Amino acid sequence: MIAEAFKGKTILVTGSTGFLGKSLVEKCLRSIPEVGRINLAIRSSARRPAAERLEREVLSSPAFRRLKEERGEDAFARLVKDKLAVLELDLGRDGLGLTANGLEQLRACDIVIHSAAAVEFDNPADLSAQTNLLGAARMVEALKHAALGRAGAPPHLVHISTAYVGGMLRGLVREEPPLDPGLNWRHEAAVLSSLRGPVEEESRRPEILNRLRREAQSRMGPAGTPAVARATERRRDRWVKDRLIERGRAHANAMGFADIYSFTKAMAEHAVVELHGDIPLSIVRPSIIESALEEPFPGWLEGFRMAEPLILAFGRGILRDFSGLPDSLLDIIPADFVVNTVLAVAANPPPDSRPRVYHAASGSRNPLRFRQVADEATRYFGQHPLRDRYGQAIGTPNWTYPTRGELATRARTALRFVEAAQWVVERLPLGASVADVSDDLNAERERLERGLNLIQLYGVYTEVDCIFDTRNLMSIWEKVPAAERQHFPFDAALYDWEHYFQDVHFPTVVRMSRAETTARKGKQPTGSTAPRAESSSVRAAIDRRTGRSDVLAVFDVDGTLVETNVVEYFLWMRLRAQPLDDWPAFMAQMLREAPRWLYLERRSRAEFQRSFYREYDGLDLEVMKGLGREALDAVTLRRIYPEGMRRIREHKRAGHRVLLLTGALDVVVEPLAELLEVEVDCAHLLTKDGRLTGDLQSPPPAGEARGTLLEEYAGRNGIVLSESFAYADSLSDLPMLELVGTPVAVNPDARLSQVAGQRGWRIERWRMAPGNWRLPMPDPRSPEYREAVRR
């Protein structure tokens, strides 16, 4: 019945780059070989023409793996050439942006399956309105226009909607055209589509921009003005998106819907029912579409939908509790059953002008309780536990199903405490020593934010107290011949939920998330011990670039190669050069200035360096050079990281250039560069009559200035920065790290640790040799000290 109905027919599939669209195309090619032609509605993007998108975004999908294996690559290519064609159209434009040839392609279609949609529950309101509502209306209007010049019957339109278009209903939800909620879909589309302009304008109000800039400055200040400006603009974009999401959610909730997705899909049904005219119209309403049971292979899934985030959050301990009605029906339907439903409906057009509605749902045929899903997850993750970043198995939570309001209040209160603690920790002047604490707080903040988001997005769906009727769909199932039922199953009573979750869906979710489920080899760390940083990936990158003189390894010094800073060097040299009786007054003076220096360092590394280096005003240059060379042994080599020394040797053995790029003064850094036999670019003070003035010869090499210096060095020496390495510990080094192909955060401070984690950069922890942790202080009992004081 189904295959015969498609024999020789030309069909059009919209949304073919999406999960359901790909599945429909694959099923037609594999199971309906006598289909005439399949047109795929694809819009050219700014980066790729439509034909290239077909290859890269559709045919390269794993969905077609089975077909390629069964037929072979050459036969598959011939099949694609014979059966598939691209129809360029844009659902965001009136008339779909069709050319004359495109209109003729559309006119030739016998069946149109409209599956294109913005399916996220938290899409911006204007995007949902344009895609889900106006896109559907434009498609119907284009079909009516194309049908005017068509010989024979108009095409059958199968509109893919959602089972939740009725809002949060109770009891039996019938397969009927949508009830009139007293809303005008045209007015709703106009309101939602016009929201972006006012929100964009609001985002540029001075008070909003100033607040966003202060937030960016607090996070990214040491990285320099351009980095702060980019962060401000990213926050402004995020602010606009968040406002559009919130306005869409509030608008949908006010109209009795869970989210903007279900609301715009409901309005789309009103639009297509009103506009379809003589176009035969069938509406398929899937419930929650999840991974395929069997076809094209068990577990076929693309992207995380509704259940996957909840399942992973359960297994990872992110959701330690969740709201919902444990005995309510959670209506889930495998993707291949939805595909078969759509094809069966497409093969059975309505006998008259009245639209037909079909639920692709499981609740009436194979009910699944919300508690059962949690029980299945407990069983699965008990046998296959996910593991935390320490390699420890994560235990499964015991949900008590509190109300959404209670759970959200709990999470928001905890989030405020974590954010306050994180604010304090990130401002402590302890560098890398608080990075682990900051990482833990950041992980907890992300867990709470993720949990709140899941409560907002999906909590309402776990409280649904209705059953979706499937009598219309079952009337088609009864007409399907027994032999064809094996090839196009869509009765939800045919499968078992335990098998689906334990053998198909849960393994798929874990595999897609790339979560660790097996214990690491070798000695396992305890829950209180972080695993040793893995640097093998950096060494592998070095090995791949051996023998290349156009590769540079650039190292920051203080905090990266050496466990010290410019203040400690200054203290050692000044104390080394004055009598012991003068030490208390000198230390008191330094302590008085410390709060101001801490504030400047937090605000900008360059401002701090300019201020601090004025302490050198009037000091004898030659004396400071001598003290700097003494500091090489007394300070630098005692507090240097052995891993850093080894890494420099590895780069030199590989033939790479090595550069120390630092804001430390030449008097303390140049002796180290000579010892390591590497190049150095550092800070230099102006001199007058043989004495230092405290003024820098050029802007401090910090923030964006460091990035500029690196680019100039690369240009002079023929360095390929995309193949080069950079090692640094502070957020102020961000511009330098962003320039190279292999950035490595060494002992990163709290803010750089967050950025590195977000961007997937390598993070390494280097340590001093044991016994050298003490603050470097000259020994007043030593002969060298007494001799220096006499001079």
Side-chain angles (χ1 to χ4, degrees):
M1 182 192 80
I2 298 174
E4 183 65 25
F6 279 87
K7 186 176 180 179
K9 296 290 181 64
T10 298
I11 68 174
L12 170 66
V13 179
T14 70
S16 57
T17 58
F19 173 53
L20 186 59
K22 289 188 185 80
S23 304
L24 283 163
V25 173
E26 191 277 340
K27 178 68 174 181
C28 288
L29 288 176
R30 182 167 47 82
S31 299
I32 314 178
E34 295 182 342
V35 66
R37 193 77 167 165
I38 306 174
N39 291 310
L40 307 187
I42 300 178
R43 175 176 57 88
S44 294
S45 68
R47 293 191 303 166
R48 298 190 185 105
E52 185 178 345
R53 291 190 66 195
L54 169 64
E55 292 292 335
R56 295 176 64 108
E57 300 177 34
V58 180
L59 299 179
S60 63
S61 168
F64 296 90
R65 185 179 64 200
R66 174 179 173 180
L67 197 54
K68 292 175 182 177
E69 291 173 352
E70 290 178 351
R71 288 178 170 261
E73 291 286 348
D74 293 340
F76 175 76
R78 289 194 297 271
L79 178 66
V80 166
K81 184 177 180 180
D82 291 342
K83 298 294 184 181
L84 297 188
V86 171
L87 172 53
E88 283 204 58
L89 59 80
D90 185 352
L91 293 170
R93 297 172 57 187
D94 290 335
L96 307 184
L98 290 168
T99 63
N101 288 336
L103 184 60
E104 287 302 315
Q105 274 185 272
L106 183 62
R107 184 171 289 130
C109 293
D110 303 297
I111 299 171
V112 176
I113 301 174
H114 180 56
S115 70
V119 298
E120 286 78 9
F121 295 164
D122 59 345
N123 266 323
D126 59 328
L127 173 62
S128 293
Q130 282 290 337
T131 305
N132 297 341
L133 173 48
L134 290 174
R138 291 176 182 127
M139 173 56 69
V140 176
E141 294 284 17
L143 287 175
K144 290 167 65 177
H145 177 62
L148 294 176
R150 175 184 170 90
H156 176 202
L157 172 61
V158 181
H159 174 74
I160 312 298
S161 185
T162 174
Y164 297 95
V165 291
M168 294 298 101
L169 300 177
R170 293 182 182 275
L172 186 67
V173 180
R174 300 188 183 278
E175 296 167 295
E176 296 174 346
L179 297 173
D180 184 4
L183 299 175
N184 184 306
W185 66 266
R186 290 182 174 85
H187 174 71
E188 297 301 319
V191 169
L192 294 174
S193 298
S194 62
L195 284 176
R196 182 171 290 272
V199 174
E200 285 278 359
E201 184 177 349
E202 186 181 1
S203 75
R204 290 178 169 83
R205 287 166 48 197
E207 56 269 30
I208 299 296
L209 285 177
N210 287 336
R211 176 168 63 81
L212 297 175
R213 182 184 57 79
R214 285 194 299 270
E215 292 173 358
Q217 176 71 36
S218 176
R219 288 279 181 180
M220 305 295 291
T225 301
V228 172
R230 290 193 298 270
T232 302
E233 181 59 16
R234 285 195 300 269
R235 287 174 179 269
R236 192 195 65 80
D237 286 341
R238 182 71 246 184
W239 189 92
V240 169
K241 184 177 180 181
D242 287 344
R243 297 293 84 71
L244 289 171
I245 290 171
E246 182 55 38
R247 293 191 184 191
R249 180 183 293 124
H251 190 92
N253 293 163
M255 301 302 164
F257 292 85
D259 46 57
I260 194 66
Y261 171 68
S262 59
F263 176 67
T264 51
K265 293 296 279 186
M267 291 296 99
E269 282 199 19
H270 283 279
V272 297
V273 168
E274 176 187 319
L275 297 172
H276 77 96
D278 295 331
I279 302 291
L281 173 64
S282 296
I283 299 174
V284 177
R285 294 174 178 167
S287 57
I288 301 168
I289 306 175
E290 296 297 346
S291 62
L293 180 69
E294 293 290 347
E295 296 182 304
F297 53 86
W300 152 239
L301 183 66
E302 185 176 71
F304 276 12
R305 312 183 78 76
M306 175 185 161
E308 291 80 31
L310 292 179
I311 292 165
L312 275 178
F314 182 95
R316 286 174 169 160
I318 292 173
L319 287 179
R320 294 167 186 169
D321 210 337
F322 202 68
S323 63
L325 304 174
D327 58 345
S328 68
L329 295 181
L330 187 61
D331 205 300
I332 289 175
I333 189 77
D336 46 347
F337 276 55
V338 178
V339 168
N340 294 333
T341 297
V342 171
L343 295 178
V345 169
N348 288 270
D352 51 40
S353 60
R354 291 180 301 173
R356 295 291 188 273
V357 179
Y358 304 90
H359 281 145
S362 62
S364 63
R365 300 286 296 166
N366 192 359
L368 172 68
R369 306 289 173 185
F370 182 37
R371 186 190 297 277
Q372 184 181 347
V373 179
D375 290 344
E376 293 289 351
T378 299
R379 177 185 164 198
Y380 181 82
F381 289 112
Q383 297 173 352
H384 313 280
L386 302 185
R387 296 183 178 268
D388 61 21
R389 61 195 179 104
Y390 302 112
Q392 299 294 297
I394 302 172
T396 56
N398 182 25
W399 285 358
T400 61
Y401 309 101
T403 66
R404 263 189 295 157
E406 181 185 1
L407 196 59
T409 300
R410 244 190 275 164
R412 290 192 184 98
T413 301
L415 183 60
R416 282 194 291 269
F417 278 110
V418 170
E419 287 175 338
Q422 196 170 19
W423 187 92
V424 172
V425 166
E426 288 181 357
R427 283 156 179 77
L428 292 174
L430 301 177
S433 61
V434 299
D436 288 342
V437 177
S438 178
D439 288 347
D440 289 339
L441 288 171
N442 194 53
E444 181 64 9
R445 178 180 59 80
E446 290 178 352
R447 185 190 72 80
L448 291 168
E449 289 177 342
R450 182 64 174 152
L452 271 171
N453 188 52
L454 291 172
I455 293 167
Q456 282 185 322
L457 288 182
Y458 306 128
V460 66
Y461 288 93
T462 62
E463 299 172 357
V464 173
D465 203 11
C466 68
I467 299 176
F468 299 112
D469 187 19
T470 55
R471 278 175 285 191
N472 287 354
L473 184 63
M474 287 301 99
S475 67
I476 294 181
W477 176 252
E478 290 168 2
K479 294 190 293 185
V480 177
E484 201 167 40
R485 286 184 178 185
Q486 297 180 7
H487 298 290
F488 298 92
F490 56 89
D491 180 5
L494 295 174
Y495 57 86
D496 173 70
W497 285 117
E498 181 181 353
H499 162 68
Y500 178 72
F501 284 122
Q502 299 297 325
D503 302 327
V504 179
H505 192 57
F506 289 162
T508 294
V509 172
V510 172
R511 184 177 65 252
M512 288 182 63
S513 69
R514 300 176 182 173
E516 290 189 27
T517 58
T518 57
R520 296 170 181 169
K521 294 181 179 179
K523 184 179 179 181
Q524 296 301 302
T526 67
S528 61
T529 305
R532 292 179 61 85
E534 292 291 337
S535 60
S536 58
S537 57
V538 180
R539 293 194 176 99
I542 294 173
D543 292 340
R544 287 195 299 271
R545 297 162 197 168
T546 296
R548 291 190 52 177
S549 60
D550 59 351
V551 170
L552 173 70
V554 56
F555 289 79
D556 177 46
V557 176
D558 291 342
T560 302
L561 279 178
V562 186
E563 179 77 9
T564 188
N565 54 57
V566 296
V567 178
E568 292 180 352
Y569 277 115
F570 179 74
L571 282 174
W572 188 89
M573 290 189 293
R574 294 291 286 121
L575 293 175
R576 179 77 172 77
Q578 59 185 299
L580 183 61
D581 292 344
D582 294 343
W583 284 21
F586 173 75
M587 293 299 294
Q589 177 189 348
M590 295 292 290
L591 288 173
R592 284 195 299 270
E593 294 292 333
R596 183 171 65 90
W597 288 332
L598 288 174
Y599 168 77
L600 289 175
E601 202 279 337
R602 172 74 192 181
R603 176 183 173 88
S604 167
R605 178 64 60 86
E607 290 184 35
F608 162 72
Q609 289 175 348
R610 283 189 180 280
S611 176
F612 184 78
Y613 285 155
R614 292 194 180 101
E615 297 295 319
Y616 283 83
D617 184 21
L619 298 179
D620 186 279
L621 174 60
E622 294 303 321
V623 171
M624 297 309 294
K625 282 183 176 180
L627 289 172
R629 294 197 173 277
E630 287 187 42
L632 174 65
D633 179 63
V635 181
T636 306
L637 295 181
R638 290 177 180 271
R639 299 174 68 84
I640 204 163
Y641 299 133
E643 294 96 331
M645 299 283 280
R646 285 194 290 270
R647 188 61 53 82
I648 287 176
R649 288 197 295 269
E650 288 171 3
H651 280 290
K652 292 177 69 175
R653 281 198 298 267
H656 303 163
R657 299 182 75 124
V658 177
L659 171 69
L660 305 184
L661 183 54
T662 175
L665 285 177
D666 49 2
V667 294
V668 295
V669 178
E670 287 180 350
L672 175 63
E674 292 173 8
L675 176 68
L676 298 176
E677 297 181 325
V678 299
E679 298 176 79
V680 63
D681 192 341
C682 57
H684 302 268
L685 293 178
L686 294 170
T687 60
K688 184 177 181 181
D689 299 329
R691 292 189 174 272
L692 301 172
T693 66
D695 294 333
L696 288 163
Q697 292 182 8
S698 57
E704 63 271 26
R706 186 167 293 198
T708 302
L709 289 171
L710 180 57
E711 287 180 316
E712 290 178 352
Y713 178 92
R716 290 194 308 270
N717 296 282
I719 298 297
V720 180
L721 288 177
S722 61
E723 296 291 317
S724 296
F725 301 75
Y727 300 81
D729 71 302
S730 171
L731 187 68
S732 64
D733 303 311
L734 183 63
M736 177 179 79
L737 292 167
E738 290 177 328
L739 286 174
V740 299
T742 307
V744 184
V746 177
N747 303 337
D749 61 24
R751 289 181 288 180
L752 179 59
S753 181
Q754 287 187 37
V755 172
Q758 291 165 358
R759 301 190 185 186
W761 291 351
R762 296 161 177 86
I763 298 177
E764 298 190 9
R765 308 287 181 185
W766 294 351
R767 294 290 180 262
M768 290 185 296
N772 290 332
W773 57 269
R774 300 180 188 84
L775 184 69
M777 299 281 284
D779 183 358
R781 297 169 299 179
S782 68
E784 293 83 4
Y785 172 78
R786 291 195 293 269
E787 177 64 24
V789 170
R790 280 198 298 270
R791 289 200 302 265

